[in-house]
Amino acid sequence: MAFVKRLSTLLTRTRLSIPINTQSRKIHRWVSPTLIELKYREKKQGGKVFNPRNQFLEWNLEAELYAFGKRLNEEFDSDLLLQAFTDRSYVIKEEMKQKEMEFDLKMKDNRELVKEGEQFMEEYIKLYLETVLPKFPMEGIVGIKNHLMSESVLSNVSLYLGTKDIILAAEYPVDHQTLANTFKAIVGALLKSSGEEQTAHFVRDFVITQLQGQDVNEYWHIEDPWTMLTELIAKTGSELEPRLIGEVGKNTLLACYRVGLYLDKKMLSSGFGETVAIAKEMAAREALKKIFGTEDTMHPINFKLNGIPKSTSDLRYKISAN
Amino acid sequence: MSNKNLFLKSAFVRAPLQNGVGRYVCQLQRIVLKFCKSHGASRGIRDFIEQDLVDFSRQNPGVVVYLKPRRHRGPVLVAEYLNGDRVWMSVHNKTHSEITKWMEVLRTQQGDVAGARLKKYQYTDYPSVQGPWTPFTFKDPELNVATLPDPKFGANNRLSVSATEKLRLMFEKQKISEKDMKIGE
């Protein structure tokens, strides 16, 4: 009997230790601790380590420069292209090194090419936009041009053309300003090696196409659309009349008003908003878009214009002159 | 997002830098072929290098090709793309024709496509072409000329039909159809 008693505890124990087959969600409990540990080790090391691609064993600058031109379907002068990729910071660093080792090797940086490229792009983009947006005022054109010439857009273009690894700069990874400057310098180098028309097509294909799928009105902020619209209409001698053509939920949080603008008793545009003043302003904005030919339903911008278009700036609306 | 997708990036279908709007740029910028000169696993890649590599680089001058012989180590293709992606691919024991096909895949894709889960099969910056909805968007034009209050527009037609009303309507319908039958006789 004593034996059975002794065995009974063992039996109950074995029964308890049998795993009960319950369904559990397989949560990967190791993910979070692993990531925490990796981050800790990275921090201990002093930040993320970047290995510059151009210091790898499999790197040939000459081949990279050749492929760069071929990839973009352009003929570059190889010396000029190398100069375009040489940043000022790299030249300073190299000169310091050379002073230590006591020899002198002249290197050219890309400052000149940057200036030339920038000047060409400014002029060409302006002329191109004037041609493809014939009714848009000069102020708006300048706004779009400034957007296209901004550091963020140019550095993005430069990055996606694969300049990041080829650029000769003191630091790695290179900053946005260096990327943007390199792109301008590439344009300058192309201008010198292939001529104006080829360069214009290059700028068109890589910079102006960045307007694809964008609303061009966003790059020009109009402070007071109502005054601008009335001034424009006053010149034509027509009568502009705003009418309240709809109101819903007056005196509530969800109030909505709709204002229509009528030009000689014909509807020009309509806008809506939570107050009458906002609705009127929106209607004025819509009307301006219609006058400038940049409404939401406008034809897509033509990205296939060949050659350098001629200036038409004398014939357009001058807002600031009024 | 489930745990399964913790390490798989999600992405939308996008063309890098509006590629193709202006001109087409091959997105593969360089490819490194790592192989062993004597090991059997590198047989296919050695054949490829001997027979097809010169033609490949002649047809694609925009792609920089590097060869990296390594003693007794597995054969590998490493493709680098303009958007910074790097695709590492083992071609251990792969035959010559298989490697030709994989090279074509690496050349024509735009980045590390297999490394991302597509959220959708289409993408647009402008989901709506008619602008935001307002209470006036689908307004009945008849309302513009109506003089309010009008029982037609003021009727409460939002409540569902009661059972009694439904029965009445069915009865009316039945009566009409009976009348039609009589006329038909």
Side-chain angles (χ1 to χ4, degrees):
Chain A
M1 205 58 215
F3 171 74
V4 173
K5 246 186 197 172
R6 217 180 289 158
L7 202 74
S8 68
T9 52
L10 214 145
L11 278 173
T12 49
R13 226 179 259 164
T14 48
R15 191 173 57 83
L16 279 173
S17 67
I18 291 166
I20 304 156
N21 194 15
T22 53
Q23 254 191 345
S24 66
R25 292 181 60 201
K26 280 188 181 167
I27 298 172
H28 292 171
R29 298 297 296 271
W30 55 272
V31 172
S32 171
T34 311
L35 291 179
I36 289 169
E37 176 63 21
L38 285 177
K39 182 149 193 205
Y40 168 72
R41 287 189 191 178
E42 191 185 300
K43 205 176 159 191
K44 210 167 87 175
Q45 206 176 27
K48 200 167 186 174
V49 177
F50 291 100
N51 294 320
R53 181 64 179 83
N54 51 21
Q55 284 172 18
F56 280 27
L57 192 61
E58 54 270 28
W59 179 263
N60 183 347
L61 183 62
E62 208 176 314
E64 293 284 340
L65 287 175
Y66 174 78
F68 182 81
K70 287 287 171 197
R71 190 182 303 135
L72 305 178
N73 234 336
E74 298 289 356
E75 294 297 329
F76 283 100
D77 185 76
S78 53
D79 292 337
L80 278 174
L81 192 58
L82 179 63
Q83 192 189 338
F85 275 111
T86 316
D87 192 58
R88 179 73 194 147
S89 61
Y90 179 78
V91 175
I92 292 169
K93 194 179 150 195
E94 285 297 301
E95 276 171 0
M96 297 283 273
K97 253 190 217 170
Q98 287 174 13
K99 224 175 241 177
E100 274 176 28
M101 293 159 81
E102 289 175 1
F103 73 96
D104 197 31
L105 198 73
K106 283 276 172 277
M107 290 181 86
K108 283 183 189 166
D109 62 39
N110 60 8
R111 282 179 299 177
E112 241 176 73
L113 291 173
V114 169
K115 220 176 271 173
E116 279 171 34
E118 191 174 2
Q119 199 187 350
F120 177 81
M121 279 164 78
E122 294 257 357
E123 279 169 21
Y124 173 70
I125 290 175
K126 207 170 143 191
L127 285 177
Y128 195 94
L129 292 174
E130 276 176 20
T131 316
V132 290
L133 300 168
K135 295 183 197 162
F136 209 49
M138 245 5 253
E139 285 83 347
I141 298 271
V142 171
I144 303 172
K145 189 204 74 189
N146 288 343
H147 163 72
L148 287 179
M149 291 293 293
S150 67
E151 195 184 290
S152 57
V153 170
L154 288 187
S155 64
N156 187 48
V157 172
S158 178
L159 186 71
Y160 279 89
L161 292 184
T163 56
K164 187 187 77 175
D165 298 323
I166 310 175
I167 289 175
L168 300 171
E171 56 178 8
Y172 186 92
V174 286
D175 59 358
H176 289 282
Q177 202 198 349
T178 319
L179 282 170
N181 276 344
T182 308
F183 183 75
K184 289 174 192 167
I186 289 165
V187 172
L190 186 60
L191 190 62
K192 276 190 176 172
S193 38
S194 293
E196 278 196 342
E197 194 167 315
Q198 197 65 25
T199 317
H201 293 168
F202 179 80
V203 174
R204 178 196 69 190
D205 287 348
F206 292 109
V207 184
I208 295 175
T209 51
Q210 296 307 304
L211 287 178
Q212 159 89 359
Q214 305 286 322
D215 183 8
V216 288
N217 299 294
E218 275 176 27
Y219 306 120
W220 179 33
H221 180 63
I222 304 171
E223 279 294 332
D224 190 358
W226 178 252
T227 322
M228 188 187 281
L229 181 65
T230 44
E231 276 171 6
L232 278 176
I233 298 293
K235 275 195 273 184
T236 60
S238 304
E239 193 192 346
L240 185 71
E241 182 195 1
R243 291 187 204 165
L244 188 63
I245 56 173
E247 53 181 340
V248 170
K250 204 173 165 185
N251 295 333
T252 68
L253 278 176
L254 297 173
C256 184
Y257 297 90
R258 193 181 187 205
V259 167
L261 293 186
Y262 287 77
L263 195 65
D264 294 334
K265 310 213 166 167
K266 273 185 190 158
M267 192 158 178
L268 178 67
S269 69
S270 75
F272 64 90
E274 56 260 50
T275 63
V276 179
I278 293 173
K280 193 175 140 193
E281 194 195 312
M282 294 313 289
R285 280 189 195 281
E286 280 300 311
L288 283 176
K289 279 187 197 174
K290 240 178 209 181
I291 293 169
F292 298 154
T294 56
E295 59 271 63
D296 295 343
T297 53
M298 70 185 271
H299 278 287
I301 293 173
N302 183 7
F303 294 119
K304 298 250 185 279
L305 278 189
N306 285 326
I308 298 175
K310 283 181 185 122
S311 173
T312 54
S313 46
D314 308 334
L315 304 169
R316 36 189 63 237
Y317 293 107
K318 285 209 173 95
I319 306 298
S320 53
N322 294 320
Chain B
M1 196 175 80
S2 63
N3 254 309
K4 195 173 70 181
N5 296 326
L6 265 177
F7 306 109
L8 197 62
K9 281 188 299 178
S10 58
F12 286 111
V13 193
R14 308 290 348 245
L17 205 70
Q18 317 285 8
N19 195 5
V21 177
R23 67 181 78 167
Y24 172 73
V25 176
C26 176
Q27 295 293 306
L28 178 66
Q29 60 171 342
R30 64 185 75 93
I31 189 159
V32 187
L33 283 73
K34 303 179 182 175
F35 63 99
C36 173
K37 285 182 181 174
S38 55
H39 204 278
S42 298
R43 171 76 190 274
I45 198 166
R46 282 199 305 268
D47 287 350
F48 176 79
I49 291 166
E50 280 168 18
Q51 293 167 32
D52 287 347
L53 190 68
V54 176
D55 285 339
F56 175 84
S57 49
R58 199 168 281 151
Q59 279 159 12
N60 305 290
V63 180
V64 191
V65 181
Y66 294 102
L67 296 181
K68 195 176 182 186
R70 311 182 298 177
R71 197 174 298 226
H72 298 167
R73 296 194 56 188
V76 163
L77 300 179
V78 180
E80 284 166 61
Y81 291 88
L82 287 179
N83 61 0
D85 281 350
R86 184 171 176 274
V87 175
W88 184 97
M89 204 182 128
S90 168
V91 284
H92 187 89
N93 278 346
K94 288 233 183 344
T95 61
H96 177 186
S97 70
E98 275 176 313
I99 289 172
T100 315
K101 284 165 195 161
W102 277 118
M103 285 289 277
E104 194 62 13
V105 169
L106 291 176
R107 184 181 71 82
T108 46
Q109 68 185 8
Q110 57 147 337
D112 188 9
V113 180
R117 174 179 57 92
L118 286 183
K119 286 179 186 171
K120 289 177 189 169
Y121 292 119
Q122 65 276 329
Y123 178 85
T124 172
D125 281 323
Y126 293 98
S128 163
V129 286
Q130 67 183 15
W133 179 89
T134 69
F136 316 107
T137 302
F138 300 114
K139 202 178 133 191
D140 188 1
E142 216 180 329
L143 268 168
N144 288 331
V145 287
T147 42
L148 298 173
D150 188 327
K152 189 186 167 194
F153 298 111
N156 186 358
N157 52 5
R158 277 169 286 183
L159 291 177
S160 55
V161 184
S162 67
T164 321
E165 186 67 15
K166 230 182 222 173
L167 272 175
R168 197 184 63 78
L169 285 173
M170 279 165 73
F171 179 64
E172 295 281 326
K173 215 175 174 184
Q174 200 181 2
K175 268 209 295 196
I176 292 166
S177 57
E178 272 171 12
K179 215 184 272 174
D180 287 348
M181 276 174 60
K182 267 175 198 168
I183 292 163
E185 281 167 9

